[in-house]
Amino acid sequence: MDDWINTLGQGLLLGGMYALFATGLSLSFGIMRLINVAHGDFIVLAAFAAIALVEPLAIGPFATLPLVVLLMAGFGYLLQRLFLNRTLGEDPLRPLLVTFGVSIVIQNALLEIFSADMRGLDAGPIETASIPLGGSVAVGVFPLLVAATAVGVIGALQWLFYRTALGRAFRATADDHRTAQLMGIDNRRVYALAMALATAVVAVAGVYLAIRSGIGPSDGPQRLLCAFEAVAIGGLGSLWGTLAGGMILGVAQAVGLWLDPGWGAVSGHLAFLLVVVLRPNGLFPKTRDK
Amino acid sequence: MLEVHALHAYYGDFRALHGVDFRVEAGETVAVIGANGAGKSTLLRSLTGLLPAPFSSVFFEGQPVGGLPPHVIVRLGIAMVPEGRCLFPSLSVEENLLIGAQCGRRGPWDLAAVYRLFPALEEKRATPSTLLSGGQQQMVAIGRALMSNPKLLLCDELSLGLAPLVVREIYAALPRIKGEGAAVVTVEQDTGQAMRIADRLYCMQEGRVALEGVPRTLTPERVSQAYFGI
């Protein structure tokens, strides 16, 4: 029984990580209808940015967070403003191809600068600390922190979307960008801000990923897959759905891993396939297409 | 206040407007009529910037606005009630209205003023805009445009798909909108409606202005000839 509870708990907390991976993807698709193939590489880029900052600045991994978030938000804003905005239009293939190219550029640039070695961040004892909950049940402090961050980030985004003028502009632009322009909204600026928001969340995911495990320059596509699955399970356009999607993915992987060490990744993919077959729009879709 | 000189407009290689001259004076109500495909909506799209117009063919208050993007033109004081209403389905009624105020122009129109104009909207303020009746949706679309406190309000096919009684109710709001100082351009397929409300009338045909004049000086024969081209 305790084993089951531990497995479930680990899966749920792992799901927090996946939700952080997926939130940016969910945002850029939800607002711009942009499928960002380079999303996984953004996560890896953020992780390496943190790794590069730790030594010269002599700061801990967590202290790099605000810096990396700012850097990545700036990167996302400029990327959208200078490149991706030019690809948006009737043809959905163009942004797909351009972000695929960006993905290759990031992977090779990281390979050139950091070599192919796996790197990571050492956060000290917090990485292995756990809180006993009676019996043999325990939760890891770091996974708990990650999951709490995911809930906090999504809660904050939800507030932004439904309680602020900027969020209203985001939703209106997502609905109908032409009419939004008639209302005085500069959709190109809105898109750039949305991408900045997405890459800011990516930055958090990247730093946490570097603390949790080793990471190499070509790990991006794998992260993209997790993120994509979490978004698809949750349903497009719903941020809480993305959180739920991440957690379903995490629990499936943890259960698979517990049954047989080789089944972890596979059972995650199976859960994804199952949901897509039964509910093609995901479990909590919110996107309203015309 | 608005002057259009020899405006040409293209969709790709297709020329939709062939040298249209058009003007609106302050406080005036101008109706544009014409059959389907006559270029009425294209004219409005050119004025709002959705279809970029040549730089020197559209002047608003003496300033060339051709080629400016839509979000800049609305800040100058030209607001649009688009054909088919185009409300934002994810937004509530009140949020739709607030989006209209996004461009930050000050003036007589705010939430309270719009609710005074269309009292039916106030009790529906938290309702998703898609759940309203067609007439109420049109009221939201008009209110949303008014929230930007325009000097010039462009209305594309206000009566489209609405029952005659509802159309009359919507047009009844027009005098109060004009009373706050805005000039109005209304594009209509309903010629009778257009003749009743307009100070001046343009009839378009195949991308050209076929007739311009004050409604009461125009005979039905002249109008129908300009409308149908026969």
Side-chain angles (χ1 to χ4, degrees):
Chain A
M1 186 63 201
D2 284 1
D3 274 357
W4 273 108
I5 296 173
N6 271 328
T7 304
L8 199 68
Q10 278 166 19
L12 284 176
L13 296 184
L14 181 64
M17 190 70 154
Y18 291 151
L20 280 179
F21 287 169
T23 302
L25 199 67
S26 186
L27 280 179
S28 55
F29 185 80
I31 297 173
M32 300 164 247
R33 299 289 181 273
L34 172 84
I35 297 173
N36 180 9
V37 181
H39 183 75
D41 303 287
F42 286 8
I43 298 172
V44 177
L45 181 68
F48 274 98
I51 290 167
L53 285 171
V54 166
E55 271 189 38
L57 299 180
I59 50 176
F62 291 106
T64 65
L65 261 176
L67 270 175
V68 178
V69 165
L70 275 179
L71 282 174
M72 286 300 290
F75 166 75
Y77 185 90
L78 291 176
L79 186 78
Q80 185 70 39
R81 196 91 224 209
L82 300 178
F83 296 102
L84 298 181
N85 271 344
R86 295 167 199 269
T87 71
L88 294 173
E90 301 307 314
D91 182 4
L93 199 60
R94 281 194 297 175
L96 216 61
L97 289 174
V98 170
T99 53
F100 186 63
V102 171
S103 155
I104 293 171
V105 170
I106 292 176
Q107 285 183 36
N108 284 284
L110 289 176
L111 199 60
E112 191 66 32
I113 300 169
F114 293 96
S115 83
D117 293 346
M118 298 292 278
R119 305 278 288 267
L121 286 171
D122 183 8
I126 192 179
E127 286 190 36
T128 49
S130 64
I131 305 167
L133 295 176
S136 61
V137 178
V139 289
V141 172
F142 181 66
L144 196 63
L145 176 69
V146 173
T149 308
V151 173
V153 162
I154 289 175
L157 287 173
Q158 206 73 17
W159 176 82
L160 176 82
F161 269 62
Y162 289 92
R163 293 280 177 275
T164 68
L166 180 63
R168 208 157 52 220
F170 277 144
R171 285 185 291 142
T173 311
D175 276 350
D176 179 350
H177 64 93
R178 277 200 192 82
T179 307
Q181 288 179 65
L182 286 177
M183 301 303 137
I185 294 171
D186 179 358
N187 63 328
R188 295 179 171 268
R189 187 169 156 270
V190 165
Y191 291 158
L193 287 173
M195 187 50 97
L197 212 55
T199 44
V201 180
V202 158
V204 179
V207 172
Y208 280 175
L209 178 68
I211 293 172
R212 198 179 84 101
S213 60
I215 190 162
S218 53
D219 285 359
Q222 243 177 312
R223 304 298 146 202
L224 173 68
L225 190 61
C226 292
F228 179 74
E229 288 180 345
V231 174
I233 292 175
L236 290 169
S238 156
L239 287 173
W240 289 119
T242 299
L243 181 68
M247 294 199 160
I248 289 169
L249 200 60
V251 169
Q253 287 195 358
V255 170
L257 204 63
W258 180 65
L259 294 173
D260 182 299
W263 286 4
V266 176
S267 45
H269 299 321
L270 285 177
F272 159 71
L273 282 177
L274 195 70
V275 171
V276 172
V277 168
L278 295 178
R279 298 282 297 271
N281 288 327
L283 299 175
F284 313 100
K286 229 185 152 185
T287 304
R288 286 171 227 209
D289 277 318
K290 283 172 283 181
Chain B
M1 93 192 299
L2 178 84
E3 291 207 39
V4 177
H5 300 296
L7 175 66
H8 296 273
Y10 299 85
Y11 293 107
D13 286 338
F14 174 71
R15 187 148 89 174
L17 294 181
H18 309 269
V20 167
D21 292 310
F22 182 79
R23 72 189 159 81
V24 181
E25 306 296 336
E28 211 180 13
T29 299
V30 174
V32 181
I33 60 171
N36 267 331
K40 311 180 300 287
S41 292
T42 306
L43 174 64
L44 290 196
R45 285 168 61 87
S46 302
L47 298 181
T48 55
L50 276 181
L51 196 65
F55 182 70
S56 56
S57 54
V58 183
F59 287 82
F60 184 59
E61 300 191 305
Q63 191 189 344
V65 298
L68 293 179
H71 68 266
V72 174
I73 289 182
V74 66
R75 269 170 227 165
L76 299 174
I78 302 182
M80 171 88 151
V81 184
E83 182 181 350
R85 308 181 277 269
C86 295
L87 299 183
F88 300 108
S90 314
L91 272 57
S92 69
V93 167
E94 185 153 307
E95 286 177 325
N96 265 287
L97 294 174
L98 288 171
I99 281 286
Q102 199 96 3
C103 69
R105 290 176 55 87
R106 293 182 184 285
W109 295 104
D110 54 17
L111 276 179
V114 170
Y115 289 146
R116 272 198 301 279
L117 184 66
F118 298 120
L121 298 185
E122 187 161 16
E123 57 192 85
K124 306 258 182 182
R125 59 202 296 172
T127 314
S129 51
T130 42
L131 297 182
L132 265 54
S133 70
Q136 288 171 337
Q137 287 190 19
Q138 192 62 273
M139 292 173 190
V140 177
I142 296 170
R144 186 177 64 174
L146 289 174
M147 289 289 282
S148 70
N149 285 297
K151 294 172 187 162
L152 176 61
L153 182 71
L154 310 175
C155 304
D156 199 353
E157 308 263 5
L158 284 185
S159 57
L160 194 75
L162 299 179
L165 201 68
V166 179
V167 173
R168 211 172 307 153
E169 194 184 337
I170 290 198
Y171 271 102
L174 211 57
R176 273 179 287 167
I177 294 170
K178 292 180 64 181
E180 297 293 352
V184 177
V185 173
T186 176
V187 159
E188 268 301 339
Q189 293 210 22
D190 181 345
T191 309
Q193 182 66 258
M195 306 267 288
R196 270 196 297 282
I197 54 148
D199 300 322
R200 219 146 44 75
L201 183 90
Y202 285 85
C203 181
M204 293 185 71
Q205 189 196 116
E206 293 179 350
R208 294 184 172 82
V209 173
L211 179 71
E212 186 212 328
V214 178
R216 61 186 153 71
T217 66
L218 300 172
T219 59
E221 291 74 31
R222 282 188 69 195
V223 172
S224 73
Q225 199 215 346
Y227 195 100
F228 296 109
I230 42 168

